[in-house]
Amino acid sequence: MIGDVPVTQSVFGRDPLNPVRHDSILDIIAEQTSIDVSLNNEGGADIPPYIAIEELNTDEEMLYYANVVGQIYEKKRDFADKHRVLGHILRRMNEKTRIKAYAGCAGFASVLNMLLGLKASKLRQAGIQLPLVVLSASLSQINFDQMRAGEQCGLMSYVFYDILMPEPDFEALVSCVLENQTSALIESAKTREDADELSHRGEEVGLDAAARANRIAVNMGRAAKQLVDAGFQGTLCLFGGDILSAALRSLQCEALTPLTEIEPGVDLSRAVLPGREITIV
């Protein structure tokens, strides 16, 4: 659920590139793995369930992945209550001595230190080197709203109009961004109308939704490399795992070291590239 709306009927379900097609977290995970997916509700009636996925590997060790569903909480529950529930889930999970790996939402990550027995320390001040260039390709209304908020804060917006082409005009894009020497947004679309037009152009050249999503992510990653190769000295902010992985591949990243959290779930990291380093959000 997104608030009171099933996720398939929300903006995430209507996303032109990566729509959420199931309202059940079990169905979402099962679509992406051959491992059996089951619901574990050991916590009792007052504790929301978590998802446990298990597989017996060749070394006879059980590997558990747990995904805590953030949206199972009622909107009126407070922050402390969410942490109480997540803390209970972590304690239950920690009783399973053969757990080898964990995966979950940002809320899960925020209390992971409880499970690992880590003591919280004061965050180092985030040293973001300006200018900041944001690369975002999501076509959801939420993303559009975030980008417009960025514009209101003074970031210039550049639309990557030929992002679906096999060989976009990277030179023109990079020239515009570097010429102004200011923080900027690089987007694949700015409005719902732009997104519809982008989808239409993709269909005209024979790209289905999955192919369009892949082409956009790859070209955004290539744009990041073109910026760095042209001498960009600021910080890259990469929205979404697809763009992050595409950018790191294009940049031939050798290592990615987290430096600090700008805020919970938003990391500032140092990327080690051939011959230089750059900071990435």
Side-chain angles (χ1 to χ4, degrees):
M1 303 291 286
I2 304 298
D4 296 324
V5 179
V7 66
T8 54
Q9 299 175 30
S10 71
V11 292
F12 300 105
R14 298 192 301 270
D15 189 291
L17 296 178
N18 297 297
V20 179
R21 297 185 173 88
H22 305 285
D23 291 320
S24 167
I25 189 66
L26 278 79
D27 294 337
I28 292 173
I29 297 176
E31 191 176 57
Q32 303 174 57
T33 179
S34 59
I35 303 171
D36 289 338
V37 182
S38 61
L39 186 65
N40 188 322
N41 194 17
E42 296 175 337
D46 64 327
I47 302 296
Y50 66 90
I51 306 304
I53 306 173
E54 53 189 53
E55 176 185 26
L56 194 65
N57 66 21
T58 54
D59 296 323
E60 298 295 310
E61 293 179 334
M62 193 68 74
L63 180 63
Y64 288 90
Y65 294 87
N67 188 352
V68 181
V69 186
Q71 293 301 329
I72 59 180
Y73 304 107
E74 298 173 5
K75 289 191 297 182
K76 294 184 179 180
R77 290 196 177 187
D78 61 17
F79 190 70
D81 190 40
K82 291 184 180 182
H83 276 67
R84 179 189 68 81
V85 173
L86 287 172
H88 176 89
I89 293 171
L90 289 176
R91 287 190 294 273
R92 294 292 298 173
M93 289 170 57
N94 206 26
E95 293 171 5
K96 301 178 183 296
T97 57
R98 304 178 77 177
I99 289 178
K100 301 296 182 181
Y102 299 99
C105 64
F108 176 88
S110 69
V111 292
L112 187 58
N113 63 302
M114 295 168 54
L115 175 66
L116 300 178
L118 300 177
K119 292 184 178 180
S121 59
K122 186 176 180 180
L123 291 177
R124 290 180 291 172
Q125 185 174 357
I128 296 181
Q129 182 175 345
L130 298 178
L132 175 72
V133 171
V134 178
L135 292 95
S136 175
S138 172
L139 301 181
S140 75
Q141 188 59 49
I142 291 176
N143 183 76
F144 293 150
D145 292 344
Q146 290 173 327
M147 296 301 103
R148 301 295 68 77
E151 276 193 294
Q152 292 177 4
C153 291
L155 277 72
M156 299 185 66
S157 174
Y158 301 92
V159 178
F160 198 167
Y161 284 108
D162 58 350
I163 193 169
L164 288 177
M165 299 297 292
E167 292 299 329
D169 190 352
F170 291 114
E171 185 176 347
L173 178 71
V174 170
S175 177
C176 286
V177 173
L178 295 183
E179 198 173 76
N180 291 288
Q181 290 295 310
T182 186
S183 294
L185 310 168
I186 298 178
E187 308 176 68
S188 57
K190 295 181 69 169
T191 66
R192 171 58 53 200
E193 291 72 23
D194 289 345
D196 292 341
E197 174 61 26
L198 186 66
S199 297
H200 179 67
R201 291 203 305 270
E203 292 170 355
E204 286 183 332
V205 296
L207 298 176
D208 61 16
R212 292 196 299 272
N214 181 69
R215 177 72 59 82
I216 288 172
V218 168
N219 280 340
M220 276 291 186
R222 294 173 67 195
K225 175 124 182 0
Q226 294 283 336
L227 276 169
V228 172
D229 288 350
F232 177 69
Q233 296 294 326
T235 299
L236 294 177
C237 179
L238 306 172
F239 267 56
D242 289 348
I243 291 181
L244 174 62
S245 59
L248 295 182
R249 284 194 299 270
S250 291
L251 291 165
Q252 298 178 293
C253 181
E254 299 169 358
L256 189 64
T257 305
L259 301 175
T260 188
E261 283 187 305
I262 299 172
E263 60 181 60
V266 182
D267 294 329
L268 178 69
S269 299
R270 178 187 297 112
V272 179
L273 315 178
R276 65 167 296 187
E277 296 182 352
I278 189 171
T279 50
I280 290 178
V281 176

